[in-house]
Amino acid sequence: MLKYSQERFVGIMLTALGLIVAAMYISLSYGVFDLTFAEVVKTLFSQGNGEYDVLIYQFRLPRIVIAGLVGTGLGVAGAVLQGVSRNGLADPGILGINAGAGLAIVVFMFFYQGKLAGSDWFSILAMPFFGLIGGLAASIFVYLLSWKNGRLDSQRFLLTGIALGSGFAALSLYITLKMDPTDFHTATVWSVGSLFHANWQYSISILPWFLFLLPIIFWKAHILDLFQLEESSVKSLGVSVGREQVILLLCSTGLVSACVSVSGSIGFVGLIVPHLAKSLTGIRHQQMIPLCAMLGMLLVIVADFIAKNIFAPAEVATGTIISLIGVPYFIYLLFRSKA
Amino acid sequence: MDMSILRTEKLQAGYEQHTVFQDLEFAVKEGKITTIIGPNGCGKSTLLKTMGRILKQKAGTVFLYNQDLRSLATREIAKRLTLLPQNPVGPNELTVEELVTYGRFPHLNQGQKSSIADQKAIEWAMDITKTISFRHRELGSLSGGERQKVWLAMALAQETAILLLDEPTTYLDMVHQLEVLKIVQQLNRQRQCTIVMVLHDINRAARFSHEIVAMKEGHIVALGSPQEMITPEVLKQVFCIDARVMLDPRDGVPVCFSYDNLQTEKETIGGEA
């Protein structure tokens, strides 16, 4: 009877998982230096004495893991932001959260000059925190400026975000231009959304954020269902609308900031993934959000694989590949929402 | 101090700079159906929304069982009082049963699966509103009348003692209007629900209410039983119309069968608040 049953959901999740495993395998084996299936499996299970350990453990695998985490974070954050703002065009990038987090990180890089190249634990662990400060500042600004008649105005939410985002991006660019040449290069590559510098420390530095924030979001998923009703209905049902909005906004900002700190500003994941998830599993957030996590992971792993290999040995920024898909999709959504 | 189930004291409310009413004193009678009537912009919807804490008051207090509404957790309020807004909207893909299930939110502990009591309330709400036969259909596929009954079912699933309904019959055809009001009447009779609603149709107000409250320009100008309220004098005072009223020969309920402008030709114009 129900179009979106539990069985269907499990089927979709398993399919997504299968695709992720396939994408991971292809990313591991294919590249400037191709590996056979046997070689990949042997290296993964040889525990540190295989021929290709360095290639897989130092280069390909950490990058895939980061891509997966970033995709998950951005996909889930996008779904939450769209739910909170009741606006299907909301996305961390469009709302200026990426840009805010980016600005704070650029400022951090600027004052930490010349030390970025090294694998300094302090700077790596501190980056998500700086990202969070910037991301939070952006979210708080956007949230406060979007209040109209005592409620969150979803049109304003988007417009304020776009305006603030451009401002933050301009400031970031200004600061980047003041950097010394090595840092400038690092910061520019980073700011367009690249996983070039991926390493295990990055994964470890953002993992706690995921372990802390994702469960809260999954736990609050049923509130996002209620947010699809009008504000007066939601209030009548006894939801503390303002409080729940703030909690959800903080959680998604935290996720986005952590992602931005390791991958720079990768846009549009949070826009595309929730729409795709909705069309597959329906509008129930308890199913949709886990699916967003999976689809985000898949999207960024695949996009990063394309970015690495399309013009090999030269590399395109992962963010660029996703934008190439994201921009037309955004315009399509814009037109469809008007109709 | 009287023990009213829901009352306002020196209540002031409005939108931004605009004040719709101030110093409003109003007490709802427990276990009765009260209907607020009045011209557009008189403040009847604003009063309902402020009593239902959808709109924050500018001054004054709303008391729910003699407790200041602001001192209660919104979830606790939702167990005792609910408001069905005018033309509620929800996602088209949502099924009837899912929407009705939302009504149980205030009774659930966060993340907890629904209990037998929740399931019973949901079944009851769909049963009394006659929406149970299309429980698996999606909102987008329903007619306006069916949809309104589903929203009513969601409000009923909350199992509150007080139900505030903002123009529950607007945009419905005659049959659906009657159906919705019969459900309201049944609720009041079977479960002693206290109901406050805003209606535009004074004949429906007369037939389905115990008490009618007339508002005009932010003031309560008259209140009483339908027999006292649906009279040419009161209607002239409230709506500035020349109404012709007679009593239904079958049950003595007043009926306004025709009306005209007063000689002054002065019309009440204003946006609905």
Side-chain angles (χ1 to χ4, degrees):
Chain A
M1 202 67 107
L2 289 167
K3 214 160 68 179
Y4 302 109
S5 64
Q6 194 67 30
E7 290 78 26
R8 189 187 144 102
F9 172 64
V10 172
I12 292 169
M13 288 295 275
L14 288 176
T15 312
L17 187 66
L19 288 172
I20 290 169
V21 171
M24 284 175 85
Y25 167 69
I26 295 169
S27 298
L28 275 178
S29 62
Y30 186 82
V32 180
F33 191 86
D34 285 355
L35 298 179
T36 64
F37 181 73
E39 283 165 342
V40 170
V41 174
K42 224 175 106 187
T43 315
L44 283 179
F45 292 101
S46 66
Q47 285 165 350
N49 41 32
E51 240 178 293
Y52 304 106
D53 274 359
V54 175
L55 180 66
I56 289 204
Y57 283 112
Q58 297 300 312
F59 292 99
R60 291 190 183 166
L61 196 56
R63 192 161 168 164
I64 294 168
V65 170
I66 284 278
L69 283 175
V70 166
T72 297
L74 294 176
V76 169
V80 173
L81 290 171
Q82 289 183 9
V84 167
S85 66
R86 293 189 189 84
N87 194 324
L89 296 176
D91 163 88
I94 294 163
L95 290 174
I97 301 172
N98 282 1
L103 176 60
I105 291 167
V106 166
V107 169
F108 172 70
M109 284 180 175
F110 185 70
F111 288 110
Y112 213 71
Q113 271 180 358
K115 293 169 189 165
L116 284 168
S119 51
D120 175 353
W121 267 105
F122 167 74
S123 70
I124 286 167
L125 285 174
M127 289 235 283
F129 281 99
F130 275 86
L132 185 68
I133 294 168
L136 278 182
S139 301
I140 291 166
F141 263 126
V142 174
Y143 188 70
L144 290 180
L145 291 171
S146 311
W147 277 86
K148 197 179 160 190
N149 300 341
R151 53 182 287 270
L152 190 71
D153 184 295
S154 71
Q155 302 288 337
R156 271 185 183 226
F157 196 56
L158 215 60
L159 289 175
T160 323
I162 293 169
L164 278 176
S166 321
F168 289 143
L171 268 175
S172 298
L173 184 64
Y174 176 76
I175 296 170
T176 329
L177 289 172
K178 295 261 166 196
M179 286 179 171
D180 67 50
T182 10
D183 280 349
F184 173 74
H185 182 72
T186 318
T188 329
V189 172
W190 168 83
S191 69
V192 282
S194 167
L195 300 173
F196 186 72
H197 293 287
N199 58 44
W200 287 116
Q201 283 144 323
Y202 277 4
S203 301
I204 292 164
S205 77
I206 64 171
L207 202 61
W209 299 83
F210 281 73
L211 293 179
F212 177 62
L213 296 173
L214 281 179
I216 301 180
I217 291 174
F218 289 143
W219 185 50
K220 293 269 178 199
H222 66 291
I223 304 239
L224 284 169
D225 282 343
L226 301 182
F227 272 146
Q228 297 176 92
L229 310 180
E230 274 175 301
E231 187 141 338
S232 44
S233 301
V234 187
K235 277 187 184 166
S236 268
L237 287 171
V239 179
S240 327
V241 176
R243 206 189 74 187
E244 300 293 349
Q245 275 176 343
V246 168
I247 293 175
L248 287 163
L249 207 60
L250 286 181
C251 289
S252 47
T253 306
L255 279 182
V256 172
S257 306
C259 293
V260 171
S261 73
V262 296
S263 71
S265 178
I266 295 181
F268 295 107
V269 178
L271 180 78
I272 304 169
V273 164
H275 281 273
L276 209 58
K278 249 183 227 178
S279 65
L280 286 171
T281 188
I283 50 174
R284 287 132 211 102
H285 286 79
Q286 259 144 346
Q287 295 190 350
M288 192 197 122
I289 289 191
L291 185 59
C292 282
M294 300 290 263
L295 292 178
M297 191 181 279
L298 181 64
L299 176 66
V300 179
I301 291 177
V302 170
D304 188 50
F305 175 72
I306 298 172
K308 258 192 316 192
N309 292 301
I310 190 165
F311 295 125
E315 235 186 68
V316 186
T318 316
T320 313
I321 299 293
I322 294 175
S323 297
L324 283 178
I325 316 167
V327 172
Y329 195 74
F330 181 73
I331 293 168
Y332 159 76
L333 287 175
L334 208 60
F335 271 94
R336 210 188 50 174
S337 71
K338 261 186 194 166
Chain B
M1 194 155 52
D2 65 323
M3 239 319 258
S4 177
I5 187 163
L6 184 66
R7 79 189 155 84
T8 71
E9 203 175 272
K10 293 195 168 65
L11 193 66
Q12 182 183 343
Y15 304 87
E16 285 178 271
Q17 313 310 330
H18 176 64
T19 297
V20 177
F21 55 73
Q22 53 193 9
D23 290 328
L24 196 95
E25 307 268 336
F26 175 51
V28 175
K29 289 200 172 118
E30 189 166 358
K32 302 283 182 207
I33 300 177
T34 304
T35 302
I36 311 174
I37 60 167
N40 287 338
C42 68
K44 51 194 191 306
S45 265
T46 309
L47 174 59
L48 209 65
K49 282 182 207 158
T50 319
M51 290 197 300
R53 54 94 172 76
I54 301 301
L55 194 71
K56 231 170 128 183
Q57 67 259 48
K58 294 185 163 179
T61 316
V62 178
F63 290 99
L64 176 65
Y65 297 100
N66 276 341
Q67 278 176 296
D68 185 343
L69 215 52
R70 284 168 301 191
S71 71
L72 295 167
T74 180
R75 213 184 170 98
E76 290 310 308
I77 299 172
K79 290 179 188 170
R80 304 178 201 170
L81 170 156
T82 187
L83 181 141
L84 181 60
Q86 201 179 334
N87 309 316
V89 281
N92 284 336
E93 300 89 337
L94 207 63
T95 66
V96 169
E97 187 167 354
E98 281 174 315
L99 184 72
V100 177
T101 307
Y102 286 179
R104 295 306 293 170
F105 177 80
H107 300 275
L108 295 175
N109 292 320
Q110 284 207 334
Q112 181 197 307
K113 288 270 172 206
S114 60
S115 66
I116 297 166
D118 293 321
Q119 208 47 50
K120 262 178 83 179
I122 293 162
E123 297 289 323
W124 166 77
M126 289 194 293
D127 189 47
I128 196 169
T129 53
K130 299 183 185 71
T131 51
I132 205 156
S133 58
F134 50 88
R135 63 195 293 172
H136 296 302
R137 276 175 64 192
E138 293 183 354
L139 289 189
S141 73
L142 303 178
S143 75
E146 288 168 331
R147 210 172 298 157
Q148 185 64 355
K149 286 192 289 181
V150 175
W151 283 102
L152 189 58
M154 180 186 93
L156 297 189
Q158 261 178 268
E159 291 192 301
T160 57
I162 307 168
L163 207 58
L164 309 177
L165 308 170
D166 195 356
E167 295 191 33
T169 57
T170 312
Y171 303 124
L172 301 188
D173 64 35
M174 286 170 68
V175 179
H176 279 113
Q177 284 189 23
L178 189 68
E179 260 190 277
V180 165
L181 291 170
K182 289 259 188 188
I183 295 166
V184 170
Q185 195 170 48
Q186 197 184 344
L187 268 173
N188 172 259
R189 285 181 184 161
Q190 287 179 359
R191 294 215 163 188
Q192 286 74 49
C193 281
T194 303
I195 288 145
V196 185
M197 56 184 173
V198 167
L199 286 182
H200 274 299
D201 186 327
I202 49 175
N203 287 336
R204 302 254 179 281
R207 183 152 297 280
F208 288 96
S209 322
H210 299 108
E211 174 142 290
I212 293 178
V213 177
M215 285 184 74
K216 188 181 181 182
E217 290 161 4
H219 298 283
I220 292 175
V221 289
L223 78 173
S225 67
Q227 281 74 14
E228 293 164 338
M229 293 292 290
I230 308 302
T231 62
E233 296 72 35
V234 175
L235 293 177
K236 179 180 165 187
Q237 188 195 356
V238 177
F239 293 101
C240 296
I241 53 170
D242 178 16
R244 280 166 280 167
V245 177
M246 56 180 221
L247 301 182
D248 185 330
R250 257 172 45 186
D251 48 21
V253 173
V255 179
C256 166
F257 62 93
S258 187
Y259 59 93
D260 204 345
N261 290 336
L262 287 178
Q263 293 304 345
T264 56
E265 294 280 319
K266 198 179 154 222
E267 287 181 12
T268 47
I269 298 166
E272 179 67 302

